[in-house]
Amino acid sequence: MEPVSSFLGNLDINFSTSIILFAIITLSWYAWLLLSNSKKHSKLPPGPSPLPVIGNLASLDPELHSYFASLAAKYGPILKLHLGSKLGIVITSSSLAKEVLKDHDITFANRDVPDVAKATAYGGCDIVWTPYGPEWRMLRKVCVLKMLSNTSLDSVYSLRRHEVRQTVSYIHSQAGSPVNFGEQVFLSILNVITNMLWGDTVQGEERASLGTEFRKVVGEMTELLGKPNISDFFPSLGRFDLQGLLKKTDRLSKQFDEIFERMIEKSLKMGKSGENGKQSKDFLQFLLKVKDEGDAKTPLTMIHLKALLMDMIVGGSDTSANSIEFAMAEIMNKPEVMRKAQQELDTVVGKNNIVEESHIHQLPYLYAIMKESLRLHPALPLLVPHCPSETCDVGGYTIPKGARVFVNVWQIHRDPSVWENPLEFKPERFIDNKWDYSGSDFGYFPFGSGRRICAGIAMAERMFLYSLATFLHSFDWKLPEGKKMELSEKFGIVLKLKNPLIAIPTPRLSDSSLYE
C-alpha cells in the first residue's frame, strides 16, 4: 500500500475538499462509462484492471519510470492505464517507439498539456507545449536555426566561460572540504543561462541579487511541475484548482514575468549597443530583434519571447545540472573511468593550462562518458508525453485520440537485447560507434526523436561537456570518509539523484593561479 499512500499523499487535498471531489468525479466517472459503452472500441492495449472513479491512479508508484518498466514486464511493450478520466499509453520498446515518433510522427506531434505547465509557459506558448503547426514551426526556427545555432552559441562562449571559471574558483576555495557538487553545478548552469540570455544587461550587485531570486523561484517551479495534479486526471475539475497548485504557479509565474519585464526594459534602453558601445550578443537582444523583424503571418510576440525565456531557464538549468551530477557520480563510482578521463584531459589540455571549449572535440572518451550517462539516466525518462491528434494503430493496438502517450526511454536504454550488460556504466561502448543524438536509432534517443526532438541539444551538449571536462581536469574528487556512493534515482519531470552528491575536491593543476 506504500505506493497508494505516497501518491495520494502527494495530492495534498483536505478532507472536506475530498468529499466534494469524490462526488464530482463519481458523476464524471459514470458519465464516462455511459459514453464509453455507447461506442464500439477497437482493440486497446492490455493493462491492469482499473478501480471505479480513479482508475489505476491509486496503484501508481512515485518512481514512474521503473514502475512502468515493471508493468511492461507483465503486460508487454505497449500497455494502457486509466488515469482518472484520462487514458494513458506506455511504450517500452524501440520498435514501438519508432512507430510513434517516426512512422506516425505528425499524428503524435502534439502534447497533452498539464495545467501547471500551461500556467508556467504563458498559456502553453513556448516550444515545448505549443501544438504542432505554423506557430510551433516559427518557434522551432527561432530556437534551432537562430538562437541555439552553433554560430550563436559560439558568440556567447565568453559568457559561459566566465561563469564556469567562477565556479572553479569557488570550489578551489573549498578544497579539502565536502562540497554539494549538484548544487554548485546547478548554480553554475543557471548563471550560464541567465548570462547568455541577457549578458551585460545586469551587472554587479543587481546581477548577484537576480541570481539569488532565480535560484529560489526555479526550485519552487520545478517542484510544482513534478507534483501530481488531480485536474490533469479529471480535466472537468481544473477550474476548482482543488490542490491550489495553479494559485502557487501563478504567483511564481508573476515573479518570473516581473524579472523578464525588467530585463526587457533594460535591454530596450540599451538598444543595439552595449553600455560601452560594443555590440550586445546576448539572446534577449537577439529575440527582440527577431520580434521586430518577424514574419507578419506568424510573428514572434512578446508572449512567445517570454515563454522562450522561461523554457531556457526552467528547462535548461535542471536538466543539464542533474545530468552532469549523474555523470560525476558514475565516474567517481568507477575510479578507472576517472583516471582515463583525466589522462585524456592531461594529454590534450595539460596540467599547466585550463580547459577551453575548443578542446572538447579532441576528447572522445569524455564524449563517450556523456553518452553513457545519458543512456542510463536520460534527463526526461519518459520524454515529454505525446498526444495523438487522431485515433491510430500502434503495434496492432488502437491508440485513441487525446490519449497521453509515455515513451519510457529510460527502460528502452536498458534493453538487454540491444545493450550488453545494460546496467553497467561503461563509456567504452560509445567509442567509435554509430550512436548519436539524432533520434534516428530507437535503441538510443535521450533527447527524443521526430519533430518534437529537444531543441536545445547543441547547448546541452556544450554545457555538459565543457563543465564536466573543467571539473575533472581541475580537481580530483572523492567521497567523505565512511560514505558510499549512492546512485539511486528520484523520478520527477526531470530525473535526479535521490541523494545529492557530496564530494571532496583536491586541486590537481600545476599552478594555483589557474584557479583564479
Side-chain angles (χ1 to χ4, degrees), residues 63 180-182 321-330 377 485-491 494-502:
E63 302 302 314
N180 187 325
F181 181 81
N322 286 307
S323 294
I324 294 169
E325 186 178 15
F326 268 121
M328 181 61 84
E330 291 283 8
H377 313 287
M485 181 59 70
E486 297 182 35
L487 291 165
S488 300
E489 299 166 330
K490 180 181 179 181
F491 179 83
V494 177
L495 197 64
K496 301 183 178 186
L497 271 175
K498 186 168 287 186
N499 298 300
L501 176 59
I502 307 298

Side-chain angles (χ1 to χ4, degrees), residues 275-491:
E275 291 180 356
N276 298 319
K278 295 179 180 178
Q279 183 70 22
S280 176
K281 294 181 179 180
D282 60 68
F283 288 166
L284 180 52
Q285 286 281 357
F286 167 78
L287 288 172
L288 288 169
K289 183 179 179 182
V290 172
K291 173 185 168 294
D292 291 340
E293 301 175 354
D295 184 350
K297 189 174 182 181
T298 313
L300 178 73
T301 67
M302 189 61 78
I303 293 296
H304 289 133
L305 188 153
K306 291 178 181 179
L308 289 177
L309 295 180
M310 188 78 84
D311 275 352
M312 291 278 289
I313 291 170
V314 177
S317 57
D318 235 17
T319 53
S320 295
N322 286 307
S323 294
I324 294 169
E325 186 178 15
F326 268 121
M328 181 61 84
E330 291 283 8
I331 291 167
M332 290 178 63
N333 196 46
K334 278 200 162 186
E336 67 274 18
V337 173
M338 183 176 288
R339 283 196 298 271
K340 283 185 181 181
Q342 290 179 329
Q343 183 179 3
E344 181 180 66
L345 284 159
D346 292 346
T347 300
V348 173
V349 182
K351 285 191 174 183
N352 59 348
N353 200 359
I354 62 173
V355 176
E356 304 287 357
E357 273 192 2
S358 57
H359 292 125
I360 298 302
H361 73 280
Q362 304 173 59
L363 302 169
Y365 191 69
L366 186 79
Y367 197 38
I369 287 174
M370 176 184 178
K371 288 183 175 181
E372 176 69 342
S373 185
L374 289 174
R375 181 186 70 82
L376 279 173
H377 313 287
L380 303 179
L382 303 177
L383 302 180
V384 178
H386 291 253
C387 183
S389 55
E390 59 185 39
T391 299
C392 67
D393 289 338
V394 172
Y397 294 102
T398 298
I399 309 300
K401 175 182 177 180
R404 181 176 293 183
V405 180
F406 304 92
V407 179
N408 195 345
V409 66
W410 179 86
Q411 181 60 23
I412 292 172
H413 283 183
R414 294 164 181 241
D415 185 347
S417 68
V418 177
W419 305 97
E420 183 181 354
N421 299 321
L423 302 186
E424 180 186 356
F425 182 76
K426 187 179 179 183
E428 289 76 10
R429 70 173 94 236
F430 283 98
I431 298 290
D432 300 326
N433 64 27
K434 61 177 182 176
W435 304 106
D436 58 28
Y437 305 128
S438 66
S440 58
D441 193 311
F442 292 90
Y444 182 74
F445 53 113
F447 293 101
S449 181
R451 283 167 172 78
R452 301 306 288 248
I453 193 170
C454 175
I457 295 177
M459 187 174 79
E461 183 179 273
R462 287 177 184 235
M463 291 170 65
F464 187 117
L465 292 171
Y466 178 51
S467 299
L468 186 62
T470 298
F471 298 139
L472 284 173
H473 179 248
S474 302
F475 305 99
D476 285 316
W477 298 88
K478 67 177 182 179
L479 292 174
E481 193 69 32
K483 295 291 184 179
K484 291 184 178 180
M485 181 59 70
E486 297 182 35
L487 291 165
S488 300
E489 299 166 330
K490 180 181 179 181
F491 179 83

Side-chain angles (χ1 to χ4, degrees), residues 77 100 143 266 391 455 499 516:
V100 169
C143 282
K266 283 178 175 289
T391 299
N499 298 300
E516 295 176 358

Side-chain angles (χ1 to χ4, degrees), residues 224-235:
L224 284 173
L225 286 167
K227 277 191 173 183
N229 186 0
I230 198 71
S231 65
D232 290 334
F233 308 120
F234 299 95

Side-chain angles (χ1 to χ4, degrees), residues 133-280:
E135 186 177 338
W136 175 83
R137 284 192 290 270
M138 177 273 294
L139 292 172
R140 179 85 184 181
K141 182 179 179 181
V142 169
C143 282
V144 178
L145 299 182
K146 296 182 178 180
M147 188 168 73
L148 298 179
S149 68
N150 283 320
T151 300
S152 296
L153 291 171
D154 284 343
S155 72
V156 290
Y157 168 53
S158 62
L159 304 179
R160 291 194 297 278
R161 185 182 189 276
H162 174 76
E163 294 303 334
V164 171
R165 298 315 306 173
Q166 289 277 89
T167 304
V168 167
S169 179
Y170 173 79
I171 293 174
H172 182 257
S173 73
Q174 304 298 306
S177 301
V179 169
N180 187 325
F181 181 81
E183 181 179 88
Q184 289 307 310
V185 171
F186 177 80
L187 297 180
S188 177
I189 296 296
L190 183 60
N191 286 339
V192 166
I193 291 173
T194 55
N195 207 347
M196 287 194 300
L197 286 179
W198 39 70
D200 292 335
T201 305
V202 286
Q203 297 177 348
E205 291 184 5
E206 182 185 6
R207 189 173 176 282
S209 63
L210 186 63
T212 302
E213 189 175 358
F214 262 127
R215 285 195 289 274
K216 183 176 183 297
V217 179
V218 168
E220 291 182 49
M221 185 69 82
T222 53
E223 184 179 346
L224 284 173
L225 286 167
K227 277 191 173 183
N229 186 0
I230 198 71
S231 65
D232 290 334
F233 308 120
F234 299 95
S236 60
L237 302 179
R239 72 184 72 176
F240 302 108
D241 190 24
L242 295 170
Q243 295 161 257
L245 296 183
L246 287 183
K247 183 178 180 181
K248 294 176 183 176
T249 304
D250 285 341
R251 175 179 59 81
L252 294 175
S253 296
K254 286 177 181 176
Q255 287 181 257
F256 271 111
D257 192 69
E258 288 171 4
I259 296 171
F260 293 158
E261 285 287 348
R262 293 205 312 264
M263 296 304 102
I264 289 168
E265 184 180 356
K266 283 178 175 289
S267 195
L268 289 171
K269 285 181 179 178
M270 289 170 64
K272 294 184 177 180
S273 297
E275 291 180 356
N276 298 319
K278 295 179 180 178
Q279 183 70 22
S280 176

Side-chain angles (χ1 to χ4, degrees), residues 39-51:
K39 297 180 179 180
K40 291 184 178 180
H41 282 297
S42 299
K43 188 179 180 184
L44 293 173
S49 299
L51 293 172

